[in-house]
Amino acid sequence: MTKAPHLLKGSMTYDTAMETGPDRALRHGDGSSSGNRMVEGPAGRKPRKALSRRNILIYGTLIVVCLYYLLPLYVMIVTSLKGMPEIRLGNIFAPPVEVTFQPWVKAWAEACTGLNCDGLSRGFFNSVKILIPSVILSIAIASVNGYALANWRFKGSETFFAILIVGAFIPYQVMIYPIVIMLREIGLYGSLTGLVIVHTIFGMPILTLLFRNYFASVPQELFKAARVDGAGFWAIYFQIMVPMSLPIFVVAMILQVTGIWNDFLFGVIYTKPDLYPMTVQLNNIVNSTQGVKEYNVNMAATILTGLVPLTIYFISGKLFVRGIAAGAVKG
Amino acid sequence: MEPSISIKNLSLSFGSLDVLKDLNLDVGQGEFLVLLGSSGCGKSTLLNCIAGLLDVTGGQIFIGGRNVTWAEPSQRGIGMVFQSYALYPQMTVAGNLSFGLKNAGLPKAEIEERVNRAAKVLQIEPLLSRKPAALSGGQRQRAAIGRALVRDANVFLFDEPLSNLDAKLRADLRVEIKQLHQKLSNTMIYVTHDQIEAMTLADRIAIMRGGQILQLASPNEIYNRPASKYVAEFIGSPTMNFFEGDLEETGGTYRFTTGGKTFSLDGYAFQDGPPAAGAAWFGIRPEHMVSGAEAEASPVRFDGHVELVEPLGSDTLVRFTIGDRTLWVRMDGQATVRHGDAISVGFDPARANLFDKTTESRL
């Protein structure tokens, strides 16, 4: 609808006289000059207004949404840099008068949860110890699952896949207690290994679906060519499929890292206080009922906990886009 | 001589769907066989069975005298070229060519030698260090052929290798494939739906339909003496003109009556001796019809009106109507005919094709 005015303006008046003027050929809208060959009227690139109704709507919405999401972050950062006396004044939007990093230090190394008084650092390292094996294990198993389901149709593979997908829709809560019993029986209850196994299993349905669909979109002929070339199950997986699938591995990694890092339920159920992941420990710091509520420490602790998924998004977001772009070139 | 590939009573079904039905086929050593048919006729399925990429439901496959019915694709002594090239995108052309040889555990020196030899034959030596993404369509397909070449296989399988290329490249590569066959003289099986590729490349063409081979013969035979009406319609563009009518016999001479017109079939060579009279199809190719002065001299003549003209440069295709019937005739490229012109066409019944009305097989 923004197009109509421009189109009509120039073309209403035609000037049939041919003038020779090399630099006039590209101009239009000026009644006296007509081009070398071109008739007067719209020519060349279509002019676009910078301040059109469409742009105002789009950028206006974007700005409002940005503010909506950035404001809480701003309050958190500002509060975490203030001392308690300043916070008690109540101006939550005001920037800190006296910047202090003490709340950050306390959140990381000194805050007490139960008997431990070494802050979030313990939880951080627990979370890392949970995260790395869980992510590697779940992606490794799920990618092989997806590859087998997509390319090596075996008897009952469709049924197997259907069961796996149904598994994705069963609420976790139903399985909590049975898993507690199972872990206890094999002697892994309350250990990090047990939690890693739980995370790996619960990541399986969605990751397998992800990988299966991706591998299914890889041209079937590539797989056939590799078979003619004498490559077996693992050779095709490692030498053909995996090198082609960087984008989907990055997607799976983002999903798993954020999912496992942010997990609270499994962490609190399947481990014990010494091994609590960062999220559980954050909760224990923020919700401690004794003493004064130290808002600045709570804010710092929360930001610290959210830092890992945030970093992952920033780093792999770029890689992710690049991976997709590289994969888009038809090979 | 023992056939290079022998297929005995092959059948393949997906559930209740029979894709190949009790199919028998022998391909001679060094023969270029083209499997031709419209989509869904089972030609690619047959090729995949020969390659071992599909497990057969029944029957046997022999390659070089060896029963390979249960063998893995890599153990069958075949090289295969695919429609989408199927080059491994993350490997260079050299990597693509040597992948199969590495899997076979060949010594490094021999791999290099074979890759270089194949690259030389296909003139892709300057491309060896490039990735497939940096190649044009024709170069990619050449690299894909190279991957089949390095295997030193006795049998090459092509699955519509030229279908993804533009018309010019397709013609060029078609010539190259033919030259390659003349140079290497391996057995080649080539699947296509393009009749020009089939006619130009094949020693023999197998026309397939519904999982069965309708006719297996030389291109010349398929074109001039199609075994059934389906084959006659499938081969040739524009398609053969058909007249529906009756075949009559009086004292050893045959006559054909169609649309109130009767003409003698003198000179027509019947397939299996003199047939019984009855309803039949009379088919004549557009290029076997003549017009103008030549038509006057033809044994059979029709008058009609030009409905459509398609100038191709070398030829001019003319669609014309006689009564309510539409026919095609191929005329000289210099012919000047226009829509609405009166036209007189004639043909010699000796060049025609007669098919039984009910069985549609050649008379």
Side-chain angles (χ1 to χ4, degrees):
Chain A
M1 41 177 184
T2 54
K3 296 171 190 168
H6 308 292
L7 273 175
L8 288 174
K9 222 176 271 171
S11 57
M12 291 300 267
T13 53
Y14 277 97
D15 192 349
T16 45
M18 286 292 191
E19 270 181 31
T20 44
D23 57 342
R24 285 184 185 168
L26 291 171
R27 288 169 53 188
H28 70 93
D30 182 355
S32 64
S33 73
S34 80
N36 198 355
R37 295 250 150 70
M38 278 193 272
V39 177
E40 190 205 330
R45 183 187 304 219
K46 189 168 148 190
R48 286 186 198 285
K49 271 196 286 186
L51 217 67
S52 67
R53 199 151 33 128
R54 186 165 157 257
N55 283 357
I56 292 171
L57 208 71
I58 289 176
Y59 289 102
T61 314
L62 286 176
I63 288 166
V64 170
V65 172
C66 275
L67 285 178
Y68 181 81
Y69 279 100
L70 284 176
L71 212 59
L73 185 66
Y74 167 78
V75 171
M76 283 174 76
I77 292 172
V78 165
T79 310
S80 71
L81 296 174
K82 289 174 186 169
M84 277 314 283
E86 216 180 316
I87 290 172
R88 286 197 197 94
L89 294 177
N91 299 324
I92 60 166
F93 292 109
V97 178
E98 205 177 323
V99 174
T100 167
F101 290 100
Q102 189 49 41
W104 289 76
V105 175
K106 186 165 185 196
W108 177 253
E110 292 159 16
C112 292
T113 54
L115 293 173
N116 306 317
C117 274
D118 39 14
L120 274 174
S121 56
R122 171 191 293 269
F124 175 82
F125 290 113
N126 283 340
S127 273
V128 170
K129 275 184 245 168
I130 296 162
L131 183 75
I132 290 173
S134 306
V135 169
I136 293 173
L137 206 62
S138 60
I139 291 181
I141 296 174
S143 62
V144 175
N145 272 353
Y147 159 68
L149 285 170
N151 289 311
W152 299 84
R153 298 280 157 83
F154 50 91
K155 207 174 162 72
S157 62
E158 294 297 312
T159 321
F160 177 75
F161 184 60
I163 292 170
L164 204 63
I165 295 310
V166 169
F169 295 106
I170 297 177
Y172 291 160
Q173 289 79 350
V174 174
M175 289 181 271
I176 287 176
Y177 189 51
I179 289 178
V180 169
I181 296 171
M182 281 159 70
L183 286 178
R184 191 187 62 206
E185 290 306 307
I186 53 174
L188 289 175
Y189 180 65
S191 69
L192 289 183
T193 318
L195 186 57
V196 167
I197 292 172
V198 171
H199 277 309
T200 307
I201 292 171
F202 278 100
M204 214 41 58
I206 189 71
L207 286 185
T208 304
L209 176 72
L210 196 75
F211 279 107
R212 192 199 89 117
N213 288 352
Y214 186 85
F215 289 135
S217 73
V218 170
Q220 200 63 33
E221 291 194 335
L222 214 55
F223 173 73
K224 287 182 179 177
R227 281 193 67 196
V228 173
D229 270 341
F233 184 91
W234 293 110
I236 295 177
Y237 174 73
F238 282 113
Q239 295 184 52
I240 309 293
M241 293 301 182
V242 173
M244 284 182 69
S245 314
L246 181 69
I248 204 68
F249 276 93
V250 174
V251 170
M253 197 197 73
I254 293 176
L255 273 179
Q256 284 301 86
V257 169
T258 47
I260 293 170
W261 190 270
N262 291 339
D263 164 68
F264 180 84
L265 186 65
F266 295 153
V268 80
I269 294 169
Y270 299 115
T271 54
K272 50 192 182 200
D274 269 358
L275 301 173
Y276 276 157
M278 205 171 182
T279 43
V280 178
Q281 219 170 7
L282 170 69
N283 173 70
N284 292 351
I285 289 173
V286 173
N287 286 341
S288 61
T289 44
Q290 33 179 292
V292 195
K293 264 225 184 294
E294 292 181 294
Y295 289 106
N296 49 1
V297 176
N298 292 351
M299 293 294 178
T302 310
I303 295 173
L304 278 173
T305 310
L307 224 48
V308 167
L310 210 62
T311 322
I312 289 288
Y313 278 128
F314 273 116
I315 296 172
S316 52
K318 222 175 200 172
L319 231 173
F320 182 51
V321 173
R322 205 186 307 157
I324 283 179
V329 178
K330 209 180 135 194
Chain B
M1 196 166 70
E2 195 179 349
S4 172
I5 298 172
S6 185
I7 290 158
K8 297 186 202 297
N9 305 99
L10 189 73
S11 60
L12 179 85
S13 342
F14 294 120
S16 60
L17 180 74
D18 296 327
V19 186
L20 298 175
K21 295 164 201 156
D22 202 21
L23 193 137
N24 286 288
L25 178 68
D26 281 336
V27 187
Q29 189 65 48
E31 187 178 358
F32 200 121
L33 180 88
V34 171
L35 300 175
L36 179 66
S38 50
S39 47
C41 70
K43 56 190 192 300
S44 280
T45 309
L46 174 58
L47 198 75
N48 278 314
C49 286
I50 297 171
L53 295 167
L54 283 173
D55 285 335
V56 302
T57 318
Q60 293 179 312
I61 300 169
F62 292 82
I63 295 178
R66 197 162 59 91
N67 187 340
V68 295
T69 314
W70 292 344
E72 279 293 304
S74 52
Q75 297 162 357
R76 297 190 177 205
I78 54 158
M80 192 159 176
V81 179
F82 298 90
Q83 178 180 349
S84 65
Y85 324 125
L87 294 170
Y88 314 123
Q90 72 282 5
M91 300 182 195
T92 61
V93 171
N96 267 282
L97 262 59
S98 55
F99 183 65
L101 305 179
K102 277 184 198 149
N103 286 328
L106 260 63
K108 233 177 175 169
E110 186 174 351
I111 291 177
E112 197 168 327
E113 193 229 307
R114 283 209 207 175
V115 168
N116 286 333
R117 195 175 33 168
K120 201 169 173 191
V121 169
L122 293 162
Q123 296 164 357
I124 51 170
E125 287 155 306
L127 310 176
L128 279 178
S129 57
R130 285 210 217 158
K131 292 265 176 79
L135 303 179
S136 70
Q139 291 170 331
R140 281 180 202 177
Q141 197 51 292
R142 228 173 266 152
I145 294 172
R147 192 170 55 183
L149 212 60
V150 290
R151 299 175 60 79
D152 274 349
N154 283 322
V155 175
F156 276 19
L157 306 175
F158 293 91
D159 193 357
E160 307 205 21
L162 307 182
S163 298
N164 277 7
L165 301 172
D166 63 56
K168 174 91 173 60
L169 259 176
R170 203 182 301 173
D172 292 347
L173 231 70
R174 200 173 68 210
V175 172
E176 277 184 39
I177 289 178
K178 186 150 194 171
Q179 283 174 334
L180 193 68
H181 179 240
Q182 286 166 353
K183 204 181 318 181
L184 302 172
S185 61
N186 328 33
T187 309
M188 293 190 177
I189 300 186
Y190 187 107
V191 165
T192 184
H193 59 259
D194 183 318
Q195 45 170 303
I196 300 183
E197 278 171 31
M199 296 294 284
T200 51
L201 290 171
D203 292 325
R204 279 195 304 166
I205 298 176
I207 305 247
M208 289 186 68
R209 185 195 192 186
Q212 284 167 319
I213 294 175
L214 292 186
Q215 187 172 8
L216 174 63
S218 68
N220 187 24
E221 170 113 4
I222 293 232
Y223 177 78
N224 288 310
R225 300 183 63 82
S228 65
K229 184 166 175 270
Y230 178 83
V231 174
E233 277 180 313
F234 192 79
I235 290 284
S237 172
T239 188
M240 191 182 271
N241 299 304
F242 283 103
F243 300 91
E244 194 176 358
D246 291 301
L247 188 65
E248 293 151 22
E249 190 224 324
T250 40
T253 55
Y254 282 87
R255 292 150 69 80
F256 191 79
T257 310
T258 176
K261 197 164 173 116
T262 301
F263 50 86
S264 159
L265 292 175
D266 279 347
Y268 181 79
F270 285 105
Q271 184 82 349
D272 306 307
W281 289 101
F282 179 92
I284 181 91
R285 294 203 181 275
E287 46 272 39
H288 294 157
M289 300 219 266
V290 289
S291 62
E294 284 175 274
E296 304 289 329
S298 298
V300 185
R301 209 155 56 85
F302 284 102
D303 293 311
H305 288 280
V306 175
E307 192 188 74
L308 192 83
V309 181
E310 286 187 347
L312 299 178
S314 56
D315 304 309
T316 301
L317 302 178
V318 178
R319 195 167 80 173
F320 65 99
T321 51
I322 305 168
D324 57 351
R325 192 180 290 138
T326 310
L327 304 172
W328 282 96
V329 60
R330 187 188 291 269
M331 292 167 70
D332 187 77
Q334 308 306 317
T336 49
V337 277
R338 274 206 206 98
H339 167 75
D341 286 357
I343 187 172
S344 173
V345 293
F347 54 83
D348 181 358
R351 308 198 72 169
N353 299 274
L354 277 165
F355 303 99
D356 189 279
K357 182 76 199 284
T358 44
T359 64
E360 301 208 331
S361 58
R362 185 177 186 85
L363 291 174

